[in-house]
């Protein structure tokens, strides 16, 4: 590897790499069948090139959901950051793709390198990732597993705010969930799309009877009703219920997506770039899914604006992504770590057209939530 320091490559030569762990409260809690999330922990990656270009990334695993915890995700960082110093951005990306790292570690470092590369080229990340990126991406809002009254109230507020697609967390008592769904459908009318997410809560028999009873409420799809490992069960469900089945927890990297696809275990794949090994890995999953006629939805992992914007640029750059994406989660966090205020209007999330991710680290906020 040539690490000569000619002035020509100062723009892309990595000179500094930092990692800032954070903890941000989730004031209302995010309640799913996996439990409640009251705080979000992660780490911001900040890199700088010799010419002063910067790149931001975010490592925010979700151990309650699947995969590594933050300590595990950060453990290989000191050694890897040392290796990356003096490399060009391209060399560092190459090195990254050859190193076995956990999904969120890959995502955070990859996004920082891509953000810096896009800055050097003075183009947006979405235009780096795709030939004809869209300027906005249709998104759903998500409503946690709350009481019937809270659920209906939130659904009405979301529709008033312009969302055309709602996702309800279900997976507690099927009878109660059915009442919530009926009440929401009655409140929002027939035009708004409604999807469900059970986060692995049920077995096949429960899911079957639940989905048969749900069919009249026009459900777009249900995410991961049964255990992620039970691909044969997912396939059996697909063949026996009138509602499309999406795999979420079952998709943790390219290999697991491959298994889901070859088992024909899902109609739709939910891809969380943070938890699925990053941008390139997500692109590979989308490619394989599309080749088999399976649609994909990109969602957040409830990260700060840095991780969310990376996922947004990916969605905007990828023409195969046509269903609403699950990226409208920033308001679950008490605060953000970027200076800009991301814009969601009429159910569309607008992609910044400034260079890179189009976000600036809010150092005051970072100081406040540093842990
Ligand atoms: O899909 C969305 O709208 C938001 C993302 C979301 O629901 C989620 C966020 C963090 C962890 C798990 C999940 C999930 O889809 O189950
Ligand atoms: Mg899900």
């Amino acid at each position: 590897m040539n690490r000569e320091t000619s002035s020509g490559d100062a723009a892309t030569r990595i000179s500094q790499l930092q990692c800032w762990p954070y903890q941000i409260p989730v004031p209302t809690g995010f309640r799913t069948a996996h439990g409640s999330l009251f705080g979000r922990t992660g780490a911001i990656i900040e890199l700088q090139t010799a010419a002063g270009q910067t790149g931001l990334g975010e490592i925010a695993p979700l151990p309650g959901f699947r995969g590594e915890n933050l300590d595990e995700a950060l453990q290989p960082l000191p050694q890897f950051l040392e290796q990356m110093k003096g490399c060009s951005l391209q060399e560092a990306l190459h090195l990254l793709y050859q190193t076995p790292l956990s999904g969120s570690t890959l995502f955070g470092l990859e996004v920082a390198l891509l953000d810096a590369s896009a800055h050097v080229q003075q183009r947006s990340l979405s235009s780096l990732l795709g030939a004809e990126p869209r300027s906005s991406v249709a998104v759903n809002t998500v409503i946690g597993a709350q009481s019937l009254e809270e659920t209906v109230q939130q659904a009405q507020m979301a529709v008033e705010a312009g969302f055309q697609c709602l996702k309800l967390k279900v997976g507690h008592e099927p009878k109660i969930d059915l009442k919530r769904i009926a009440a929401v459908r009655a409140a929002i009318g027939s035009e708004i799309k409604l999807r469900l997410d059970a986060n692995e809560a049920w077995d096949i028999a429960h899911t079957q009877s639940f989905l048969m009873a749900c069919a009249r409420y026009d459900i777009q799809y249900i995410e991961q009703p049964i255990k992620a490992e039970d691909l044969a069960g997912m396939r059996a469900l697909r063949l026996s219920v009138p509602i499309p089945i999406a795999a979420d927890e079952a998709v943790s990297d390219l290999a697991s997506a491959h298994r889901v696809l070859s088992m024909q275990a899902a109609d739709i794949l939910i891809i969380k770039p943070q938890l699925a090994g990053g941008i390139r890995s997500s692109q590979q999953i989308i490619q394989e899914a599309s080749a088999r006629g399976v649609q994909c939805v990109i969602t957040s992992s409830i990260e700060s604006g840095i991780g969310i914007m990376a996922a947004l640029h990916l969605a905007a750059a990828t023409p195969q992504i046509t269903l609403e994406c699950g990226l409208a989660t920033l308001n679950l966090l008490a605060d953000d770590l970027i200076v800009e205020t991301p814009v969601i209007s009429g159910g569309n999330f607008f992609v910044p057209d400034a260079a890179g991710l189009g976000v600036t680290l809010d150092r005051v906020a970072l100081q406040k939530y540093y842990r």
Side-chain angles (χ1 to χ4, degrees):
M1 198 181 304
N2 181 6
R3 293 192 190 176
E4 287 306 306
T5 56
S6 74
S7 62
D9 63 17
T12 72
R13 202 174 60 250
I14 298 169
S15 61
Q16 209 184 67
L17 272 152
Q18 281 159 296
C19 170
W20 312 103
Y22 68 78
Q23 176 157 30
I24 305 176
V26 178
T28 57
F30 183 63
R31 185 157 174 243
T32 75
H34 287 308
S36 287
L37 185 71
F38 283 101
R40 194 71 180 95
T41 54
I44 301 304
I45 299 294
E46 187 182 21
L47 74 77
Q48 221 168 58
T49 70
Q53 301 282 0
T54 58
L56 293 171
E58 179 171 4
I59 298 176
L62 257 184
F65 189 70
R66 66 182 171 215
E68 67 282 359
N69 65 31
L70 186 60
D71 287 343
E72 288 161 349
L74 298 185
Q75 192 269 330
L77 269 190
Q79 198 197 342
F80 195 74
L81 295 187
E82 208 42 55
Q83 272 181 285
M84 279 164 62
K85 265 188 205 155
C87 287
S88 73
L89 294 169
Q90 270 312 317
E91 288 165 348
L93 258 185
H94 201 75
L95 188 63
L96 181 66
Y97 292 143
Q98 288 179 332
T99 310
L101 294 167
S102 58
S104 60
T105 314
L106 254 169
F107 174 77
L109 293 173
E110 182 190 34
V111 167
L113 291 167
L114 292 174
D115 182 33
S117 298
H119 270 115
V120 169
Q121 297 177 44
Q122 297 189 307
R123 55 209 284 212
S124 69
L125 180 56
S126 61
S127 75
L128 194 72
L129 297 176
E132 289 177 37
R134 288 166 284 168
S135 58
S136 70
V137 171
V139 292
N140 66 274
T141 187
V142 58
I143 300 174
Q146 295 121 335
S147 72
L148 187 141
E149 292 72 23
E150 286 170 311
T151 303
V152 170
Q153 195 194 11
Q154 280 203 26
Q156 278 167 332
M157 280 164 47
V159 171
E160 277 161 31
F163 287 99
Q164 277 135 52
C165 179
L166 312 185
K167 168 167 133 177
L168 284 194
K169 289 285 182 184
V170 293
H172 289 273
E173 187 49 53
K175 277 202 186 101
I176 297 174
D177 281 330
L178 261 183
K179 285 191 184 146
R180 292 169 67 228
I181 293 163
V184 166
R185 181 50 90 196
I188 64 178
S190 60
E191 296 294 302
I192 304 286
K193 287 177 220 165
L194 191 55
R195 52 175 76 155
L196 308 175
D197 190 350
N199 291 109
E200 306 183 277
W202 295 322
D203 58 26
I204 297 187
H206 271 98
T207 309
Q208 266 168 338
S209 60
F210 181 82
L211 292 181
M212 293 312 280
C214 265
R216 50 204 279 232
Y217 302 119
D218 191 14
I219 302 302
Q220 189 186 22
Y221 60 75
I222 181 164
E223 285 175 34
Q224 205 65 58
I226 63 173
K227 287 272 175 263
E229 301 76 49
D230 189 2
L231 297 184
M234 292 272 281
R235 179 193 162 95
L237 265 180
R238 280 188 63 216
L239 300 174
S240 64
V241 296
I243 293 175
I245 306 293
D248 182 357
E249 281 86 336
V251 181
S252 51
D253 54 15
L254 184 59
S256 58
H258 217 108
R259 285 193 293 275
V260 172
L261 291 169
S262 53
M263 281 290 287
Q264 298 182 300
D267 298 287
I268 291 158
L269 301 188
I270 308 298
I271 302 178
K272 296 175 162 54
Q274 177 75 250
L275 308 180
I279 301 288
R280 188 184 70 156
S281 169
S282 298
Q283 288 172 317
Q284 290 167 336
I285 295 171
I286 295 164
Q287 209 70 49
E288 290 216 13
S290 301
R292 294 175 191 243
V294 171
Q295 287 193 283
C296 297
V297 170
I298 294 176
T299 85
S300 86
S301 307
I302 317 197
E303 304 105 310
S304 82
I306 292 166
I308 301 269
M309 283 305 181
L312 178 65
H313 280 277
L314 171 64
T318 311
Q320 295 97 322
I321 301 294
T322 56
L323 296 169
E324 295 81 357
C325 287
L327 296 172
T329 57
L330 276 171
N331 55 7
L332 289 167
L333 301 182
D335 207 344
D336 204 349
L337 300 176
I338 57 175
V339 172
E340 297 78 7
T341 306
V343 181
I344 298 178
S345 154
N348 291 304
F349 201 153
F350 288 83
V351 187
D353 53 16
L357 289 167
V359 306
T360 319
L361 190 57
D362 181 340
R363 292 187 190 278
V364 177
L366 187 64
Q367 178 104 48
K368 181 168 173 190
Y369 300 106
Y370 183 79
R371 55 155 226 157

